[in-house]
Amino acid sequence: MQRLCEQGAVTALVRELALQAGLRDVDAKATPPRWQLVVERETLRAPALRDKLAAALAAELGQPVALELEAGVPEDTPARREAAERQRRQAAAEETIRNDPVVRELMTQFKTARIVPGSIKPI
């Protein structure tokens, strides 16, 4: 899904569907293969969005794919993985600054000095 988004193969609401859907099951024996996706937001379960995402996936995979969208809260989605990675990188950047010897020395020298939350950005 990430590659489809980066290539611009899916945009707007179709992109949101791709990122917010969780894969529940793949029936590879069906013709065409049927993917069951769990999607929380009703607006993203529209048939037109489903068909556009199926077409983008078919172009990427080189074979048709049938998508079945189910209502529910997915356990794992590309968007959740991306958010977790951003949070991990942010925590690592903050930890690096807090443990930096120069920063620690400055904090010791200037008693009122503090690290402003949100001012640290990962590279």
Side-chain angles (χ1 to χ4, degrees):
M1 294 299 182
Q2 188 67 33
R3 186 168 47 232
L4 290 175
C5 294
E6 289 171 356
Q7 293 172 351
V10 292
T11 58
L13 287 176
V14 180
R15 180 181 186 277
E16 281 307 303
L17 172 58
L19 294 176
Q20 299 292 329
L23 182 62
R24 173 170 285 159
D25 188 38
V26 175
D27 183 358
K29 294 178 182 178
T31 305
R34 186 180 37 170
W35 295 16
Q36 292 178 331
L37 303 176
V38 180
V39 181
E40 183 173 8
R41 292 176 38 205
E42 183 179 346
T43 55
L44 295 178
R45 294 192 302 267
L49 298 177
R50 178 199 61 212
D51 295 345
K52 288 179 183 179
L53 180 56
L57 284 168
E60 178 70 21
L61 299 172
Q63 69 176 21
V65 175
L67 298 182
E68 185 177 294
L69 305 182
E70 300 175 7
V73 179
E75 293 179 22
D76 182 37
T77 68
R80 286 185 181 179
R81 279 184 255 130
E82 186 177 309
E85 177 59 17
R86 273 194 315 271
Q87 186 176 20
R88 184 201 64 75
R89 290 181 60 227
Q90 180 66 34
E94 291 173 4
E95 185 69 20
T96 298
I97 292 298
R98 277 193 298 275
N99 292 330
D100 185 90
V102 174
V103 172
R104 295 182 90 143
E105 179 63 31
L106 289 170
M107 299 284 281
T108 303
Q109 288 178 3
F110 301 98
K111 299 298 181 194
T112 59
R114 64 185 178 90
I115 298 171
V116 178
S119 65
I120 300 167
K121 301 294 180 206
I123 299 175

